[in-house]
Amino acid sequence: MKLYSFFNSSASYRVRIAMALKGIDYETVGVNIRIGQQNELKYRRLNPVGLVPALITDDGESLGQSLAIIDWLDRHFPQTPLLPNNDPARMRILEIVYAISCDIHPINNMRVLRYLTDELGVSEEAKQRWYAHWVHQGLSAVEQLLRQSPAGQFCVGDAPTLADCCLVPQWANALRMGCDLSGYPRCKAVYESCSALPAFVAAAPENQLDKIPA
C-alpha cells in the first residue's frame, strides 16, 4: 500500500498512527502541501478533494479522508481494533473523534489559516488568536468528554482507539502553534501516555522521511 502524506498534516498523522498500531507495512509518498503539490493534476486524480492523506490499497483503489481510511483499515485489518462495535465505548469514542476532526481541525487547517492571511489580510497576530480561540473551544469540550469516559490511560479505556489517533495530532499541532494548554490536564495525560508507545513515536512528524526543516 501507498500512503500519500505530509509529515506535519494532522490528518496524515492520524492515519500513520492507525497503521503503526496495526503493524501495517506501507510506502510513504510525500506530498508537500506548503508548496501546493496537493493541487497538481496527478494527485487530484488520486484524491479529487486535493487534501492529504490518500491511501492506495493493495487492490489499487484510492481513498481519501483520514477517518474513511481508518475505517477501511479497521475492517480489513481487524487486529488491534480502533473502534469497537458495541456501545457505550463506541459512542464515546466517536463523540471525541468528531469533536476534534469536525469542530477543531477544519477551521484551523492550513488552507483556512492561509486564506485568513493571504486573502483577507488578517495579521499573523490575529491569525494566532483565531487558532487559539478554536483550540480552546474544542479542547475544553474534549476535556469534559474525557472526564466522562471510563477511567484509563487513554481517551476511552486502557488501549488506544480512534479517539487517541485524533487527539494526539491535534495536541501536537496546538503545542507547535504555541497555545496555552495548561487547562486540559486530562488531554495532556492521554497525550503523554500515547507518546510513550512505539507506534505513536514512529508516526510522529519529526520521524517522517518527508520532514521539512523549520
Side-chain angles (χ1 to χ4, degrees):
M1 289 191 289
K2 289 184 179 181
L3 180 67
Y4 288 79
S5 173
F6 183 63
F7 81 103
N8 230 9
S9 153
S10 296
S12 298
Y13 193 175
R14 295 171 194 163
V15 174
R16 294 196 305 262
I17 293 169
M19 297 182 85
L21 286 170
K22 290 177 175 292
I24 301 171
D25 291 327
Y26 63 95
E27 176 188 351
T28 298
V29 181
V31 179
N32 188 341
I33 61 176
R34 290 181 184 170
I35 62 173
Q37 288 183 343
Q38 74 278 16
N39 294 317
E40 294 177 1
L41 181 59
K42 182 179 179 181
Y43 184 73
R44 284 277 187 163
R45 286 173 175 162
L46 294 176
N47 187 359
V49 178
L51 297 172
V52 288
L55 179 71
I56 308 301
T57 71
D58 288 333
D59 296 328
E61 297 291 334
S62 61
L63 180 63
Q65 296 295 335
S66 61
L67 298 185
I69 292 171
I70 296 173
D71 176 71
W72 185 91
L73 292 172
D74 226 22
R75 289 183 292 108
H76 287 79
F77 299 88
Q79 69 273 24
T80 315
L82 299 175
L83 187 61
N85 290 322
N86 300 324
D87 290 335
R90 182 184 180 88
M91 68 183 188
R92 293 303 177 200
I93 291 167
L94 287 176
E95 194 173 20
I96 295 166
V97 165
Y98 294 145
I100 296 168
S101 63
C102 298
D103 296 341
I104 306 175
H105 177 254
I107 51 179
N108 278 339
N109 190 278
M110 187 184 74
R111 62 178 179 170
V112 172
L113 298 179
R114 278 190 170 177
Y115 189 84
L116 289 173
T117 54
D118 297 350
E119 299 297 327
L120 300 182
V122 171
S123 68
E124 286 295 320
E125 181 184 2
K127 183 188 77 172
Q128 180 65 28
R129 288 203 307 271
W130 166 284
Y131 185 95
H133 171 79
W134 294 116
V135 163
H136 172 70
Q137 290 281 312
L139 288 184
S140 294
V142 172
E143 182 75 12
Q144 292 303 312
L145 292 172
L146 292 178
R147 291 176 182 176
Q148 296 169 10
S149 296
Q153 296 182 64
F154 303 99
C155 285
V156 180
D158 292 315
T161 67
L162 180 56
D164 302 276
C165 293
C166 291
L167 176 60
V168 166
Q170 185 62 65
W171 188 268
N173 258 7
L175 285 174
R176 181 170 56 86
M177 293 291 284
C179 294
D180 179 5
L181 301 177
S182 59
Y184 319 109
R186 184 75 178 93
C187 291
K188 181 181 179 182
V190 170
Y191 176 78
E192 291 176 347
S193 293
C194 290
S195 296
L197 298 180
F200 286 82
V201 173
E206 61 269 23
N207 295 322
Q208 303 314 300
L209 294 176
D210 68 322
K211 179 185 175 183
I212 299 171

